[in-house]
Amino acid sequence: MSKRVSHSLLDPLVGPALTALYPHLHIPRRFPPEGIVAIGHLSAIAGAIGLALSTTFWWGGLLAAAGIAGNHLADCVDGRHARSTGQCRNGGELLDHFTDPLSFTYWLVGLAVACGRLDIGLVAVIVLMAMAVLTNLRAKLTGEFTLAALGPTEFKALLSVFALALATLSLFMPGVTLTTCLVGLGALTTLGLILLPIQLIQSVREVNRCGNQPDTSEWETARSS
């Protein structure tokens, strides 16, 4: 399993605070950590629905912020629960890393629906999935799963604050809510388009410098007996 290293700016502040809530959640010891991952994923879906409704209903932004926060809480306690109850499994690790980028995809699609610009949302999703693939490939080649300073926690925090801002605008300045949502989606997409090539260049240099021995083996064709 890859060593996990986070350079996140917010993880040292947010992570321990949310993990400290674990004893107060009273999760049954027999409850599988994969169940927590599933609950977090459902929370992410609720957040996406909230974002999609944020320019139509004032409470959409509140639902979005709550869904995103719930997703991050589940992401912080699922590993703690697995270690505390002796239920660490590779399958759980796979499920966790599989659902994380999907959650971000839902939120970007929700924003795109809210402002009626699925074209920009498509670009945002492509950039997001490219970053997710890049992160996992770098982890495979270097044996280290690394999160950047502006990583998932920062993205979730930004989206949560933005969702609350949309809820406030929907109540007091409904005429600018749609424009604000469009500007936010455009800014996220632009940021991703700037960061992706930078991270790609850095990753290529990193795997060349400290990656595992290059794979020079040939493909083996599986023959059915």
Side-chain angles (χ1 to χ4, degrees):
M1 186 175 295
S2 302
K3 181 174 67 172
R4 290 173 289 185
V5 178
S6 174
H7 299 285
S8 168
L9 299 174
L10 292 180
D11 272 348
L13 301 174
V14 178
L18 292 181
T19 304
L21 294 176
Y22 172 72
H24 305 288
L25 298 177
H26 302 294
I27 302 173
R29 291 187 59 83
R30 292 186 178 181
F31 190 75
E34 292 85 355
I36 301 177
V37 174
I39 292 172
H41 198 60
L42 290 175
S43 185
I45 294 174
I49 294 173
L51 286 172
L53 298 175
S54 61
T55 55
T56 305
F57 303 101
W58 69 267
W59 48 263
L62 296 182
L63 176 61
I68 295 169
N71 170 265
H72 195 58
L73 174 61
D75 202 29
C76 288
V77 303
D78 57 359
R80 171 75 179 275
H81 182 68
R83 291 186 292 272
S84 299
T85 60
Q87 297 187 78
C88 294
R89 289 182 283 265
N90 289 333
E93 184 82 8
L94 184 149
L95 184 64
D96 191 18
H97 288 298
F98 173 73
T99 55
D100 279 345
L102 285 180
S103 299
F104 293 118
T105 300
Y106 299 155
W107 298 331
L108 291 174
V109 171
L111 280 177
V113 170
C115 60
R117 292 300 303 266
L118 293 180
D119 53 342
I120 300 178
L122 179 60
V123 175
V125 167
I126 291 173
V127 170
L128 173 68
M129 297 309 293
M131 286 185 169
V133 171
L134 180 62
T135 299
N136 284 284
L137 287 176
R138 185 176 65 233
K140 176 181 182 297
L141 293 173
T142 63
E144 182 176 288
F145 192 90
T146 305
L147 297 179
L150 298 179
T153 303
E154 286 71 24
F155 187 46
K156 292 177 184 180
L158 180 62
L159 272 184
S160 297
V161 172
F162 187 65
L164 292 176
L166 290 177
T168 304
L169 289 175
S170 295
L171 277 175
F172 301 105
M173 301 176 64
V176 301
T177 306
L178 183 61
T179 302
T180 302
C181 184
L182 178 58
V183 171
L185 177 62
L188 285 174
T189 305
T190 302
L191 179 63
L193 287 171
I194 294 173
L195 291 178
L196 178 59
I198 295 175
Q199 291 189 9
L200 177 60
I201 294 172
Q202 291 176 341
S203 296
V204 170
R205 290 175 176 173
E206 182 180 354
V207 299
N208 282 338
R209 183 180 66 254
C210 55
N212 299 324
Q213 190 69 21
D215 185 1
T216 58
S217 62
E218 297 286 347
W219 279 93
E220 295 184 9
T221 304
R223 300 174 182 271
S224 57
S225 54

